[in-house]
Amino acid sequence: MTALVRADGNVLVDREEALAAFHRLCRDPRERLLFVYGMAGQGKTTLLSHLVDTVAPTHGLTGNLLDLEHLTDFEASTADGIAFAGRALDAVARCFEIHSGTVLKEYRRSRGIAADTVRNFLTSVPRLRLRQRASRNSSISHVSISWEGHSDGRRLALLRDNELSRMTEALLRGVAAHRGELPPGARHVLCIDTSERLHFLDGSAADRADGGNGVRHWLVSDVLANLLDAWPGLAVVLAGREPLTPPAGHRAQQVRLDAWREHHTHTYLSAHGITAPEAARSVHQLSGGLPLWANVLAEICATAGSPASDLVLPTSAYEPDPMWTSRVLLSRLPEKRRRVVAAASVLRRIERDALVALLDAVDPAHAALAGRAAHVLEAAGDQGGEPHADGLSGNWFEDLCSYSFVHSQRTPSGGFEHRMHPLVRGAILSYLEREQTGLLRILHKAATRHHHARGNWMDALFHALSTGEDAAMATWKEQLDLSLSRYDFSTSLRLVELVVSDDAGPATADRAQLMVEAHIAAGRIAFFQMRLDDAEISYRRARGIADERGDRVGAATALLHLAELSHRRLDVSKAAEAVNDALVLFEREHHVRGRAESLHRLGHLRLAHMDIAGASQAAADSLVLFRAQGDALGQARALELLGHIRLGQADLAGAKEHIKNSLTLYDREEDLRGLASTLGLVADISLLQGYVAEATEAADRARSIYRQTGDAFREAGAVHIFGRVRLAAGDLLGAESDARVELSVHERTGNRLGQANALHLLGTVHLAAGRTDEAVQAALGARIRYEEVGNPLGAAHAMQLLGRVALDECHEADAEPLFTRALDQYRRVGNPLGEADALYWRAMCEERLGRPADALADAEAAADIYARLGSNRGLGESASLAARLHLAASRSDRAELRLWQARKAFRLIGDTENERTAGGC
């Protein structure tokens, strides 16, 4: 095996597949999209640089490399979604402008307007009153919003979404308008690194009328998919830590980068002049096969002048001490420079003032000299010179770069930012923690004071956490709760990173507890974004840490989230097992709120199994415990579950009462998720009662809230209700669109129950539109899925829909047994509303089959059930049928009574047409 040595000294080994894909992309104009993915340290950035610098020019292409790592980290303490997205779009715009020789004026104006709009809004609202009320153990955090949906927090989120869309559309319009000014036949390759940095901007497929591919990656689906259409000759390479789904209408090559084997490491080291097999073995073990680590170790040997024998410790050639890196590195530094390197390793970004502040805390005299040396740090990047410092022999900045592997990056503002190599930084911090704990604590405290004084709250919090301060840990929890309650995933993930990153400080018991909470938070964010595998990984990490430290409450909390995940995947038995295990742990710790949460989740699982009595008992028990704790939001959720159960029993009055009480609590506590969820139930009940206008308003509010928060699972449910509302209002096109959007979301996540619900709605729409063949296919698909997941109520719905299709095609003899089987099923599961529907449709069959007595009996029974349930639409239709049958039998008095009942029901829901024609009179 040979190694490819680049001009910059980097060596490419075992990357033949990626290089071949690069050449195909450059040779074939039809190849326009390539995804390169792999864990951190696989050399993705080096490969992209090679493509831009070497491969593309070889084939006559120009290229640009955009690293999102630098864009999103710049001014991280004050950046928001608009700023992050804007910097990425700016880089794309600059790339097009350079190659077309034009200026995208409309985009530049739109960019400025977007930033000003958000800034002016924040200025006009001195304080966004966003309050966190719920415990961190709840299934979702909560954000304040008024019942009318006009809270400042929601307005800000919607404003950002609108401005993001405006900027993106302006860029795409500008590219399309000026593409004629590109050199004829010219091709360009745009490489984008660290694509996962923009995951927080991802949305759900329910935003899109065409359904899409589930959760969409904003950069891929909203920007690049359209950019490839607008810019002929453009090819795009995306590199990140996970594979991405190509946008609709585009295909993409996928290349996965894996860790090296030992012979790859040996080949790499040989290219650096290190040929000893023992050295290759040790470096491979230390690096874990990661090219980045192998590169760092090779550079340490070359820079420090270490012979190859230093890589093999005398104690064991096969189990080297992981601390050797920092010892080898620091032992070659003059004593007076070791504190400079130590201070630089403590800082996340090396800045002159911060470095001087840290050195001042440990050596004021040295700090004065270091300050003069650090003063020229920026000039080193801007002018390419070799900075010197009076009082420090040699080139201070050059030594810092050599020994600590500090890299200078140009920021979007045009300046330079300096960071220590993260792996080397972690090694030095580990050494300091073990050998010089006092010095490390002093440096972190100095950094905390420095960043706090400058308003850099995130950096200040990082350093305070690294000292193990109780107040810092409490602040971290509060900020994490607040950011999750605002669905501010960017800030949430940065807070998570403060705790789980390799340089996060000493592994104390308190930090381990924070790590449990951080991994659970990361899992919740992945869950909201429908990255279920990532969510499971985070939850299991949380549980593993909790189990390791004997934290039963933390382990139980992680189990509850795993149960929610299994429930979402429709693995109800696995979910029930996790809930029962969590309940046992909470009971051992006498954790009342945890028991309440477990019972609440158990109620949902029993409801999924149609165990109405068990679900009711679990919900009622959780309500008692939540009340005992004074947990208003817990009570609201328990009441909401009771409302679900009553609704499933078609007890509309009982459901409405529970939901009303739940809604009051959610509104008082300003809980966004609760408001949206109960609004969906309000829409469902209003629809069953025939109040279409009220149902439309409630469903629209619920869907807008879910869309704002990115809660795609629940948004799909709101879309389902909205589709039913549109169907009831006669908007067949809108209802079909909603059904297809819902179906696409559930197909993306593998949710068979959700697919069944969507197919049932789609079949009902097809029937209303007269497309009976399509209605049959959808109904059969729904029935199969309902039976697969063991949902007898859904199977009855699908069977009844098949009967309605047969009735519509005048196959009454086929329809009647289907309605009878559905009726029996409804009675077995205790669903009176379904029972009334089946009786009504069977009565319609019997009337056509010439059995008026049977038809009248079923119509009367249906009307009585509808009247008891308060279902006005059903009452009007069944009473009208009964009136017609009474008239045919010359029973005018009974006909008049049912006719009056039908007309009153239609009048209540504003259906004047059916009120006028009720009973066929």
Side-chain angles (χ1 to χ4, degrees):
M1 175 181 293
T2 59
L4 176 62
V5 182
R6 284 170 36 84
D8 59 7
N10 282 318
V11 180
L12 299 178
V13 175
D14 185 38
R15 293 298 179 247
E16 290 81 3
E17 182 184 359
L19 292 173
F22 288 169
H23 284 287
R24 282 196 303 271
L25 187 78
C26 293
R27 282 196 307 263
D28 190 347
R30 295 171 298 179
E31 297 289 342
R32 305 188 64 194
L33 195 56
L34 170 62
F35 294 152
V36 178
Y37 66 98
M39 64 183 293
Q42 296 289 358
K44 296 184 291 293
T45 304
T46 299
L47 277 170
L48 294 190
S49 298
H50 182 68
L51 170 59
V52 171
D53 298 339
T54 306
V55 178
T58 300
H59 293 276
L61 277 70
T62 55
N64 284 94
L65 174 58
L66 166 61
D67 192 346
L68 298 179
E69 176 82 27
H70 307 142
L71 296 182
T72 55
D73 280 352
F74 177 60
E75 295 180 351
S77 61
T78 59
D80 56 30
I82 289 292
F84 286 173
R87 292 184 193 114
L89 294 177
D90 284 349
V92 174
R94 281 197 298 271
C95 177
F96 180 82
E97 289 170 339
I98 290 171
H99 292 282
S100 65
T102 61
V103 176
L104 301 178
K105 295 181 180 179
E106 180 188 358
Y107 166 71
R108 298 296 175 186
R109 285 195 298 270
S110 178
R111 175 81 163 90
I113 291 172
D116 290 343
T117 301
V118 174
R119 187 182 305 111
N120 291 339
F121 177 81
L122 293 173
T123 303
S124 66
V125 183
R127 183 174 182 177
L128 293 175
R129 295 178 64 249
L130 294 155
R131 295 186 294 168
Q132 169 69 21
R133 295 280 189 173
S135 162
R136 287 176 298 279
N137 292 328
S138 60
S139 62
I140 188 171
S141 290
H142 313 285
V143 65
S144 67
I145 185 171
S146 66
W147 165 245
E148 293 78 17
H150 296 310
S151 76
D152 294 327
R154 182 184 179 207
R155 288 168 56 204
L156 176 59
L158 293 175
L159 180 65
R160 285 174 172 166
D161 289 344
N162 291 337
E163 297 305 322
L164 181 60
S165 298
R166 178 185 298 178
M167 288 192 306
T168 306
E169 291 168 3
L171 173 63
L172 295 171
R173 282 197 303 270
V175 170
H178 293 283
R179 62 187 177 188
E181 299 177 41
L182 290 165
R187 296 186 62 212
H188 183 79
V189 59
L190 175 62
C191 298
I192 302 178
D193 198 10
T194 331
S195 62
E196 66 274 4
R197 281 296 183 183
L198 291 181
H199 269 321
F200 69 93
L201 290 173
D202 292 355
S204 69
D207 292 345
R208 301 164 59 90
D210 60 358
N213 295 305
V215 170
R216 69 175 200 280
H217 190 282
W218 170 78
L219 183 65
V220 175
S221 299
D222 288 8
V223 180
L224 296 184
N226 297 303
L227 187 64
L228 288 170
D229 294 334
W231 186 346
L234 176 68
V236 177
V237 180
L238 258 72
R241 298 190 182 183
E242 58 186 25
L244 297 171
T245 302
H250 294 270
R251 64 188 181 90
Q253 301 180 71
Q254 300 267 7
V255 176
R256 173 178 171 176
L257 303 182
D258 294 313
W260 283 343
R261 296 176 182 268
E262 185 175 325
H263 65 278
H264 297 137
T265 305
H266 185 272
T267 301
Y268 177 83
L269 292 176
S270 296
H272 282 274
I274 303 173
T275 57
E278 298 85 356
R281 185 179 303 115
S282 293
V283 168
H284 185 73
Q285 290 180 357
L286 283 167
S287 66
L290 290 179
L292 181 60
W293 243 138
N295 175 59
V296 169
L297 301 182
E299 286 190 23
I300 287 176
C301 294
T303 304
S306 172
S309 58
D310 280 8
L311 296 174
V312 184
L313 300 183
T315 53
S316 171
Y318 299 98
E319 296 181 2
D321 183 350
M323 299 301 299
W324 77 269
T325 302
S326 51
R327 289 203 179 98
V328 168
L329 173 64
L330 294 176
S331 66
R332 269 115 178 128
L333 287 172
E335 178 67 30
K336 60 184 177 182
R337 294 194 185 144
R338 294 182 187 177
R339 286 185 174 179
V340 176
V341 174
S345 69
V346 166
L347 293 169
R348 304 173 81 194
R349 293 186 304 276
I350 304 173
E351 300 166 342
R352 175 172 58 88
D353 293 343
L355 189 60
V356 172
L358 266 62
L359 292 173
D360 185 58
V362 295
D363 189 347
H366 195 126
L369 300 176
R372 292 197 295 274
H375 182 68
V376 296
L377 188 147
E378 295 175 2
D382 291 332
Q383 302 173 10
E386 297 182 353
H388 297 270
D390 296 335
L392 288 176
S393 60
N395 297 326
W396 178 86
F397 178 65
E398 183 178 284
D399 288 344
L400 185 62
C401 288
S402 297
Y403 292 122
S404 305
F405 297 93
V406 174
H407 300 293
S408 299
Q409 313 285 357
R410 186 176 290 278
T411 65
S413 64
F416 275 82
E417 183 177 81
H418 308 278
R419 290 174 178 263
M420 182 175 289
H421 195 295
L423 295 178
V424 175
R425 178 173 178 240
I428 295 175
L429 288 174
S430 297
Y431 171 79
L432 293 174
E433 181 182 334
R434 179 174 171 176
E435 305 290 341
Q436 299 186 40
T437 305
L439 173 62
L440 184 61
R441 187 177 182 84
I442 291 172
L443 290 171
H444 274 302
K445 284 190 172 184
T448 301
R449 292 192 299 270
H450 171 79
H451 287 298
H452 180 73
R454 284 155 179 77
N456 302 329
W457 72 271
M458 187 72 79
D459 285 325
L461 182 57
F462 166 79
H463 291 290
L465 285 171
S466 298
T467 64
E469 295 178 7
D470 292 339
M473 295 184 183
T475 299
W476 179 86
K477 293 178 182 179
E478 292 170 2
Q479 292 296 329
L480 180 63
D481 281 347
L482 180 60
S483 61
L484 284 172
S485 73
R486 297 172 61 181
Y487 294 87
D488 181 359
F489 295 157
S490 170
T491 301
S492 300
L493 288 172
R494 284 157 53 207
L495 286 165
V496 167
E497 188 180 0
L498 293 187
V499 172
V500 303
S501 60
D502 294 335
D503 58 354
T508 62
D510 289 336
R511 178 166 290 282
Q513 181 184 353
L514 291 188
M515 289 186 70
V516 172
E517 297 185 33
H519 283 302
I520 288 176
R524 288 168 63 188
I525 294 169
F527 183 84
F528 296 153
Q529 295 180 336
M530 291 200 289
R531 295 184 286 113
L532 301 188
D533 291 342
D534 292 340
E536 182 175 6
I537 290 171
S538 294
Y539 292 150
R540 292 199 180 281
R541 283 175 179 167
R543 184 187 176 187
I545 296 170
D547 285 340
E548 185 177 343
R549 61 187 296 266
D551 178 6
R552 290 177 178 172
V553 173
T557 304
L559 279 169
L560 277 184
H561 286 287
L562 285 167
E564 183 181 29
L565 184 66
S566 297
H567 193 187
R568 183 62 63 192
R569 288 169 165 165
L570 300 182
D571 190 346
V572 179
S573 59
K574 187 175 181 180
E577 180 183 355
V579 170
N580 288 324
D581 289 345
L583 186 57
V584 169
L585 291 174
F586 282 129
E587 287 176 344
R588 288 178 182 174
E589 295 298 308
H590 305 290
H591 197 279
V592 178
R593 195 180 189 285
R595 289 172 53 206
E597 290 286 351
S598 301
L599 288 169
H600 179 76
R601 176 56 53 190
L602 197 60
H604 278 288
L605 295 174
R606 288 175 175 172
L607 180 59
H609 269 306
M610 300 306 296
D611 178 5
I612 303 301
S616 299
Q617 186 62 54
D621 290 345
S622 70
L623 179 60
V624 170
L625 293 176
F626 281 130
R627 281 175 175 163
Q629 292 289 295
D631 186 342
L633 282 174
Q635 296 173 53
R637 293 167 55 229
L639 288 167
E640 181 188 344
L641 176 56
L642 287 170
H644 269 293
I645 295 170
R646 297 292 179 268
L647 184 58
Q649 296 174 302
D651 179 5
L652 302 188
K656 197 169 187 177
E657 182 65 23
H658 285 308
I659 291 166
K660 178 182 177 182
N661 293 333
S662 174
L663 190 61
T664 299
L665 289 170
Y666 281 134
D667 192 23
R668 189 182 74 194
E669 298 299 315
E670 300 178 334
D671 174 66
L672 183 64
R673 184 213 64 89
L675 284 174
S677 181
T678 47
L679 280 168
L681 290 174
V682 168
D684 210 356
I685 294 174
S686 298
L687 189 60
L688 292 174
Q689 292 178 322
Y691 301 130
V692 178
E694 293 181 13
T696 302
E697 181 183 4
D700 193 33
R701 286 178 177 175
R703 187 170 64 167
S704 67
I705 293 173
Y706 288 139
R707 181 171 296 174
Q708 169 196 339
T709 60
D711 193 343
F713 294 121
R714 292 184 175 87
E715 183 183 347
V719 169
H720 178 81
I721 295 173
F722 204 79
R724 290 173 52 205
V725 170
R726 284 178 164 173
L727 177 62
D731 179 7
L732 300 186
L733 289 177
E736 181 176 357
S737 175
D738 286 335
R740 293 192 183 281
V741 167
E742 181 194 10
L743 181 61
S744 71
V745 173
H746 293 311
E747 285 178 341
R748 171 70 175 80
T749 60
N751 186 332
R752 304 288 283 175
L753 179 58
Q755 294 172 35
N757 291 335
L759 284 169
H760 182 268
L761 173 59
L762 192 59
T764 308
V765 174
H766 287 324
L767 177 59
R771 300 195 296 269
T772 53
D773 289 344
E774 296 177 50
V776 168
Q777 291 301 316
L780 288 173
R783 181 179 174 181
I784 290 171
R785 286 164 176 78
Y786 282 131
E787 290 174 348
E788 285 177 349
V789 300
N791 189 297
L793 180 60
H797 290 333
M799 204 177 307
Q800 182 164 271
L801 177 57
L802 288 169
R804 290 178 58 194
V805 174
L807 182 62
D808 187 74
E809 294 184 322
C810 298
H811 300 315
E812 290 83 4
D814 295 329
E816 185 184 9
L818 289 170
F819 291 134
T820 299
R821 290 167 61 189
L823 177 62
D824 292 341
Q825 190 86 304
Y826 284 128
R827 284 172 173 167
R828 277 197 295 271
V829 300
N831 187 278
L833 186 60
E835 180 182 350
D837 287 341
L839 285 167
Y840 169 74
W841 290 111
R842 191 172 73 173
M844 294 285 287
C845 262
E846 292 162 341
E847 182 187 25
R848 294 188 187 181
L849 290 170
R851 302 201 324 258
D854 292 338
L856 181 59
D858 282 347
E860 288 279 4
D864 289 342
I865 295 174
Y866 283 131
R868 174 166 55 85
L869 298 178
S871 178
N872 294 309
R873 172 68 63 185
L875 175 58
E877 292 175 344
S878 57
S880 180
L881 174 59
R884 186 168 70 245
L885 292 168
H886 278 306
L887 284 173
S890 300
R891 290 190 288 268
S892 57
D893 54 341
R894 295 185 181 181
E896 186 65 31
L897 177 61
R898 285 300 188 188
L899 189 59
W900 173 86
Q901 195 175 31
R903 286 173 173 167
K904 180 181 178 182
F906 286 129
R907 188 182 310 119
L908 284 172
I909 61 176
D911 190 342
T912 56
E913 179 64 22
N914 277 317
E915 180 187 357
R916 183 177 60 81
T917 60
C921 305

